[in-house]
Amino acid sequence: MCGIVGYVGSQQPNGRPLEVVLGGLRRLEYRGYDSAGVALTGTGDGKLAVTKKAGKLVNLIEALDLDPLPASTAAIGHTRWATHGGPTDVNAHPHVVGKVAVIHNGIVENFVALKAELLAAGTTFTSETDTEVVAHLLARAYDVHGDLTAALTAVVQRLQGTFTLLAVHADVPDVVVGARHDSPLVVGLGDGENFLGSDVSAFIAQTKDALELDQDQVVTITPTSVVVTDFAGGPAQGRRYTVDWDAAAAEKGGFRSFMDKEIHDQPKAVADTLLGRTDLAGHLVLDDLRIDESVLRSIDKIIVIACGTAAYAGHVAKYAIEHWCRIPVEVELAHEFRYRDPVVNEKTLVVAISQSGETMDTLMAVRHAREQGAKVLAIVNTHGSTIPRESDAVLYTHAGPEIAVASTKAFLAQITAAYLLGLYLAQLRGNKFPDEISAILDELRLMPAKIQLVLDRAGRVREIARWMADTTSVLFLGRHVGFPVAMEGALKLKELAYIHAEGFAAGELKHGPIALIEPGQPVFVIVPSPRGRDSLHSKVVSNIQEIRARGARTLVIAEDGDEAVRPFADEVFYVPQSPVLLAPLLTVVPLQLFACELATARGLDVDQPRNLAKSVTVE
Ligand code: M6R
């Protein structure tokens, strides 16, 4: 989704505005984009210097004259993920009208009506974007108000939809203005310079001092000031905080790709998510609980809403929370939940899971749930994002920034946080004795080391993935918690390697999917522990035999010591022993490695798969 950077700092070295903005855009590449552009003010000729190009940042950089970096006082930069109008040079941002340049993340839903009004007044449009409407409105408003903040405040009052907007004007080269409505924008505070960004990655190399803005606020930055107002022009305030990510955390750290790095970050992501979750009395605590505990004691249903990988984390959570808390748990894709008439009331706890905290489908479902009287608890990775702010309680995952589009470490951290939530509810509602909860927590604390062991054994799965680079279809089977792991394994392969892949509940095989099995068809099977419910293990072993008998090539993920699977497996990837409910933290890892390696072997960019955005901020 679009990335936004703004910078102002007139006393700084000449080329700093462009340098900072290009660095910010590079760190925001993970959001996914298809064109990029920058606008500079204070270049000495009283005009804006605007360059924009379709394609990757390298195209923009080639089009800029960087030797030497041009002198300027402020800059805005944008990576665009096309919504209205294709990814072309003309549709790329910034959009310029006269002396005004605008960049935008989101969708102006009433742009057709606004465009008609402007066309009727004789305005000529050059692009197909909704954003150009904003640029025209802003140029006109500036002529009326003679002040960029007042002009932007007047314009946002006319817009419907979702937006983060940044704007500059050639006549006020020391000013960048921004506004947000249902779309992210944060401020970075510097010394003689200030920053704006879609998230802190935009300016993390320059400052860790940040200001969180609320919805419907306008911000004006100059080299020495940051002024926040509301959409009516009245005074408002942001919340100052210190960013605890460092710039290195947003880099590849020596791995071939961000995804590879993030797969290897997983022991730490799980360990960090478990850290500091108990009070002095040893009781589990949540981060930000704005729900009365008596309400949590009285809930009679949990609905997990999420999208993609986060939804699969929710499916895993269902097994654990129902088992530990004896509360029914439904898991639903947020976009489906939002547009039906779900049975939700004040006794329903809705759990929204999101890495970015900005996924529009999930945000809309959160709002819908709260309108129906439900309490919403968010499990989110990104501080300062919208979903936790609009929820009644928050449990942050501590996976650190996830840059690769394909979610890996966030998935493990989401599962870990959901387990913590389940144990918290079991503690609160008295479903488990304290020593039972402690025993599960002890097992959870062993998981980072076990995940590391799986990573240490990555060689064989990578080797098999390279051999299979030309495969055209892979199936994934699992039962119980292995079922969502199978679906996640399939999703990883689809989104990274563009291969047909499907995950099935192994018990469903005989109801149709077994017809897909033909000689040589690769099938991953996630086998539950033989130390768990024995019938489950033997049922899956029977499923392996059934597909093997029909010629499938069986790639089995099993627990250390499980010799029963060997006779029916073409390949076994062993993972350390763990309690059945915790096993997804281990069994998904070989599938992530497999997808990453196979896609790399096919020459694909695993960090930015085609057609995908990291954070999907439109419905
Ligand atoms: O930021 P979120 O967790 O809300 O994102 C949800 C999905 O868009 C995301 O998990 C997506 O499915 C990933 N690309 C999968 O790897």
Side-chain angles (χ1 to χ4, degrees):
M1 210 52 57
C2 306
I4 280 185
V5 192
Y7 173 85
V8 62
S10 53
Q11 299 306 312
Q12 304 296 328
N14 274 347
R16 184 156 169 88
L18 184 57
E19 189 184 17
V20 168
V21 164
L22 288 177
L25 291 181
R26 191 182 60 72
R27 283 188 300 278
L28 291 173
E29 277 192 293
Y30 73 89
R31 297 170 73 89
Y33 68 103
D34 45 40
S35 58
V38 291
L40 308 179
T41 64
T43 50
D45 58 3
K47 295 180 185 164
L48 297 172
V50 178
T51 311
K52 49 191 199 168
K53 279 281 162 202
K56 294 294 177 193
L57 268 182
V58 65
N59 298 359
L60 174 68
I61 288 165
E62 273 172 12
L64 286 163
D65 189 0
L66 300 176
D67 190 19
L69 282 163
S72 63
T73 51
I76 54 176
H78 189 264
T79 46
R80 172 175 187 252
W81 189 71
T83 56
H84 293 68
T88 61
D89 288 358
V90 171
N91 287 335
H93 300 205
H95 287 280
V96 180
V97 173
K99 293 182 171 184
V100 163
V102 173
I103 57 178
H104 168 218
N105 174 21
I107 292 175
V108 178
E109 278 181 358
N110 60 335
F111 94 99
V112 174
L114 293 171
K115 190 168 179 173
E117 177 189 311
L118 287 161
L119 285 169
T123 304
T124 308
F125 283 82
T126 52
S127 79
E128 305 154 276
T129 64
D130 50 344
T131 309
E132 194 184 343
V133 165
V134 181
H136 284 288
L137 290 173
L138 191 62
R140 285 164 170 251
Y142 188 87
D143 289 344
V144 173
H145 295 275
D147 175 86
L148 197 53
T149 307
L152 185 62
T153 306
V155 170
V156 293
Q157 291 169 5
R158 302 212 53 205
L159 305 180
Q160 291 165 9
T162 60
F163 51 85
T164 298
L165 294 164
L166 294 194
V168 288
H169 193 292
D171 287 350
V172 279
D174 275 357
V175 176
V176 180
V177 292
R180 68 170 297 203
H181 173 69
D182 286 348
S183 196
L185 179 63
V186 279
V187 185
L189 305 168
D191 184 9
E193 57 184 354
N194 285 305
F195 312 81
L196 293 168
S198 321
D199 66 50
V200 296
S201 311
F203 48 74
I204 200 168
Q206 284 79 33
T207 182
K208 291 184 178 177
D209 205 1
L211 194 73
E212 185 179 302
L213 298 176
D214 271 326
Q215 294 296 353
D216 299 348
Q217 290 188 334
V218 173
V219 61
T220 306
I221 62 168
T222 70
T224 52
S225 66
V226 173
V227 177
V228 183
T229 49
D230 60 27
F231 274 13
Q237 280 196 325
R239 271 179 298 277
R240 208 165 166 159
Y241 67 105
T242 304
V243 180
D244 59 2
W245 295 354
D246 57 21
E251 299 296 336
K252 287 183 197 166
F255 288 92
R256 285 177 307 183
S257 61
F258 282 114
M259 183 184 180
D260 218 346
K261 171 186 175 289
E262 286 159 9
I263 290 173
H264 286 80
D265 281 346
Q266 293 184 118
K268 182 164 164 33
V270 171
D272 287 355
T273 300
L274 289 170
L275 269 183
R277 298 299 189 183
T278 44
D279 64 15
L280 289 176
H283 295 129
L284 280 164
V285 285
L286 297 187
D287 291 316
D288 188 2
L289 183 63
R290 286 160 267 156
I291 309 175
D292 201 289
E293 288 191 352
S294 64
V295 174
L296 287 176
R297 278 193 201 94
S298 68
I299 57 166
D300 59 12
K301 178 167 73 171
I302 293 176
I303 303 181
V304 180
I305 50 172
C307 300
T309 290
Y312 296 141
H315 280 282
V316 172
K318 172 185 166 78
Y319 290 87
I321 296 175
E322 286 191 338
H323 183 70
W324 291 333
C325 307
R326 310 312 299 151
I327 308 172
V329 181
E330 297 169 17
V331 186
E332 186 157 9
L333 294 168
H335 35 90
E336 288 298 315
F337 175 88
R338 169 64 185 85
Y339 290 103
R340 66 180 182 87
D341 189 13
V343 181
V344 170
N345 55 39
E346 62 287 348
K347 290 197 158 201
T348 312
L349 178 68
V350 167
V351 177
I353 305 181
S354 174
Q355 187 285 130
S356 60
E358 299 291 352
T359 298
M360 189 54 70
D361 290 314
T362 309
L363 176 61
M364 290 302 162
V366 165
R367 289 181 181 166
H368 188 52
R370 293 188 83 199
E371 279 161 21
Q372 314 297 311
K375 295 290 180 202
V376 176
L377 185 149
I379 293 179
V380 167
N381 193 42
T382 310
H383 286 250
S385 60
T386 307
I387 289 172
R389 299 244 307 275
E390 298 209 7
S391 299
D392 300 289
V394 188
L395 182 53
Y396 283 108
T397 51
H398 296 305
E402 192 176 65
I403 308 293
V405 166
S407 191
T408 54
K409 63 177 179 174
F411 179 62
L412 264 63
Q414 286 160 352
I415 292 173
T416 305
Y419 289 155
L420 288 171
L421 173 64
L423 293 173
Y424 172 83
L425 291 173
Q427 161 189 282
L428 194 71
R429 297 160 65 95
N431 299 93
K432 290 233 169 278
F433 291 112
D435 55 346
E436 291 176 295
I437 293 177
S438 293
I440 301 170
L441 278 173
D442 287 346
E443 288 287 356
L444 264 173
R445 291 189 189 106
L446 296 176
M447 296 310 280
K450 294 182 183 182
I451 297 165
Q452 187 57 53
L453 267 176
V454 181
L455 293 170
D456 293 345
R457 298 173 186 176
R460 184 64 181 159
V461 74
R462 286 191 191 278
E463 199 176 355
I464 300 280
R466 288 193 292 272
W467 288 348
M468 289 174 63
D470 294 330
T471 304
T472 53
S473 163
V474 182
L475 305 181
F476 296 78
L477 301 180
R479 275 180 190 253
H480 193 257
V481 286
F483 174 34
V485 170
M487 293 194 286
E488 171 63 4
L491 176 60
K492 289 282 96 73
L493 201 56
K494 277 184 256 202
E495 68 178 332
L496 294 171
Y498 321 148
I499 286 177
H500 168 252
E502 277 190 79
F504 297 110
E508 188 66 7
L509 209 59
K510 54 191 174 299
H511 299 287
I514 200 164
L516 291 170
I517 305 294
E518 55 186 16
Q521 169 67 51
V523 185
F524 270 96
V525 187
I526 297 107
V527 180
S529 168
R531 298 168 306 106
R533 284 167 51 194
D534 184 47
S535 57
L536 202 61
H537 176 265
S538 56
K539 290 266 178 334
V540 176
V541 175
S542 300
N543 294 140
I544 302 174
Q545 287 174 265
E546 285 157 19
I547 56 170
R548 191 105 188 292
R550 288 161 177 83
R553 178 152 184 248
T554 52
L555 306 157
V556 172
I557 297 176
E559 190 178 88
D560 279 343
D562 183 354
E563 290 303 319
V565 298
R566 267 200 194 279
F568 317 111
D570 289 292
E571 197 68 46
V572 190
F573 305 106
Y574 281 110
V575 300
Q577 296 184 352
S578 71
V580 171
L581 285 168
L582 308 192
L585 294 173
L586 305 175
T587 53
V588 76
V589 177
L591 303 183
Q592 297 168 335
L593 288 162
F594 177 78
C596 182
E597 191 68 31
L598 195 147
T600 306
R602 286 164 79 95
L604 301 171
D605 179 350
V606 292
D607 288 335
Q608 290 179 48
R610 69 183 180 200
N611 304 338
L612 290 174
K614 177 63 179 165
S615 177
V616 183
T617 53
V618 290
E619 273 190 283

